Amino acid sequence: MTRMRQLRDAWAGKGGGLFKRVPKVKPGIYLDGGFGVGKTHLLAALWKSVGGRKYFGTFIEYTALVGALGYREAIDALKGASLVAIDEFELDDPGDTMVMTRLLGELVASGTKIAATSNTPPNALGEGRFAARDFLREIQAISDRFEIMRIDGHDYRQRDLDGAAEVCSETELERIVAEEEGVVAVDEFQSLIQHLSSVHPSRYVDLVSGIEGSVLHDVRQLTDQNEALRFVALVDRLYDSQVRIWASGTPLNEVFSEDMLGGGYRKKYMRAVSRLNALTSAQF
């Protein structure tokens, strides 16, 4: 990615020479593209190539940091970093929009560079989810700080799959629980969904900590938007930790209703389906 190298060098003050001018660049890089096209890998490569104190985390981890420390303490913890990398940048409500706008503004003003990935261009964040016109100023402020780079390609997670999540029988699940050597969490799907409502999504990382597999009995299609979004957040944490999933009932690629897949959170659900297909695959 030639342009990414140019931006990285410009951020580091390289390439000017005696008579050359360093091109003016924005303080942020925004990698936009579909699912499984390598955006996170590019973000990680950029993060690794930049020196100094730097941070890499998912969007929900940064918002959780603000929730845990408080806004001012979170700024103090991040300020002075050479780079803050944000994977899966998503804004699902006005509160997150304003908090992240303020956070990015203060970090950029202090000299910190920002790099982010998302499946939605920054000028479309929040579109179809809340009254975006009421928050246009905040959304635009985020967009103006990034140079947008489009990353195209095919979903690498699906290259060797048939597009459907694998389904096990109850007998197979019993065998897996008995024979698997690693730590495997066993849950009734409906009980798990109910439990997620009692835990803040920023804590889902604790739910998957230390487990190597997840067995889900009797998966059913979700029809409640809040339940579906909580499950998406859990899937993201399972994918981050590369936790293998075995499930019975409804195939997990059908867990979100058609209405949901056609709504404002469509990209979130489609990303989750892509990840579920991979995590349930025998090739995983």
Side-chain angles (χ1 to χ4, degrees), residues 190 193 220 222-232:
Q190 182 59 32
I193 294 301
R220 64 170 179 81
L222 297 171
T223 56
D224 180 85
Q225 191 91 271
N226 291 324
E227 290 183 345
L229 290 172
R230 293 187 196 108
F231 186 59
V232 167

Side-chain angles (χ1 to χ4, degrees), residues 43 81 86 110 115:
L43 183 69
I86 308 170
S110 70

Side-chain angles (χ1 to χ4, degrees), residues 36-54:
V37 297
K39 301 186 301 297
T40 298
H41 293 288
L42 289 172
L43 183 69
L46 175 64
W47 180 86
K48 188 174 182 179
S49 70
V50 172
R53 180 164 59 91
K54 53 193 176 181

Side-chain angles (χ1 to χ4, degrees), residues 237-253:
R237 303 292 76 76
L238 290 168
Y239 187 79
D240 290 343
S241 298
Q242 293 292 277
V243 175
R244 173 76 158 90
I245 298 176
W246 297 272
S248 65
T250 300
L252 282 167
N253 61 290

Side-chain angles (χ1 to χ4, degrees), residues 60-82:
I60 195 171
E61 287 173 326
Y62 286 109
T63 55
L65 180 69
V66 175
L69 299 181
Y71 178 79
R72 182 46 52 191
E73 289 75 10
I75 286 290
D76 291 341
L78 298 173
K79 188 174 288 186
S82 58

Side-chain angles (χ1 to χ4, degrees), residues 159-173:
R159 289 173 184 168
D160 299 318
L161 305 177
D162 63 5
E166 296 190 11
V167 179
C168 299
S169 68
E170 291 297 329
T171 300
E172 288 173 320
L173 292 186

